[in-house]
Amino acid sequence: MTSTALRPSLRQWGAACGLALAAAAAPLTATAAPGFGPCRSAVPVDYPGTIVEAAVNTPALSTLTSLVVAAGLGPALAAPGNLTVFAPTNDAFAAIPASVLGAIGSDLGVLTAVLTYHVVDGPADPRRIPIAAATTLQGQSVFLRYQSGVGPTINQSVTGCQAIRASNGTIWVVDSVLLPQFRP
């Protein structure tokens, strides 16, 4: 299923969910991080569709959506389950040098490794103390923690306190692209 095939039904949901998704995916700015208590108790934005449908309906995630479709991962991310996706914004992808992004996008194996490094099978909440590790679908771990003065983080990426809860999992919008270690 492609993102184009999803658009008609998403437009119907967009009126009800668009503002909430936009708020959760708003650019992460250098404002003071909320305290741990208020951050930990932030209620997720509920989205009535899948992770893929939520991403397609969130303009700030259009680059991620395009890459997921190019890698053929859309059906897996739309399937029933309880995934956690750390979703880089368009600005996060724009911060990667064009030559590096081109190399990632031109090699299906590398692209799949990078994208699956953003996905955990099961719940993974970065609003925790102390640090916790979660194994990604790519096979390597990401590290989740709440850092005082910064907020919730995944490795070195910052996310907001509010997640998007879809029918098959949770999305945490992050301010940078997570890159796994590549070994020869």
Side-chain angles (χ1 to χ4, degrees), residues 8-119:
S9 61
L10 292 174
R11 285 190 188 113
Q12 296 168 352
W13 286 335
C17 301
L19 292 177
L21 288 173
L28 303 169
T29 59
T31 59
F36 176 73
C39 185
R40 183 73 179 147
S41 62
V43 178
V45 173
D46 284 322
Y47 186 80
T50 67
I51 288 170
V52 171
E53 292 166 335
V56 167
N57 200 38
T58 305
L61 301 179
S62 62
T63 303
L64 175 63
T65 302
S66 297
L67 293 172
V68 165
V69 170
L73 296 173
L77 294 175
N82 187 19
L83 300 173
T84 299
V85 174
F86 304 112
T89 63
N90 296 341
D91 290 342
F93 283 104
I96 296 176
S99 60
V100 174
L101 189 56
I104 292 170
S106 66
D107 184 317
L108 185 59
V110 171
L111 178 59
T112 300
V114 169
L115 293 175
T116 56
Y117 187 64
H118 289 80
V119 183

Side-chain angles (χ1 to χ4, degrees), residues 24 28 39 126-127 151-152 158-163 172-174:
L28 303 169
C39 185
R127 302 172 300 170
V158 177
T159 186
C161 294
Q162 189 172 40
W172 293 93
V173 177
V174 296

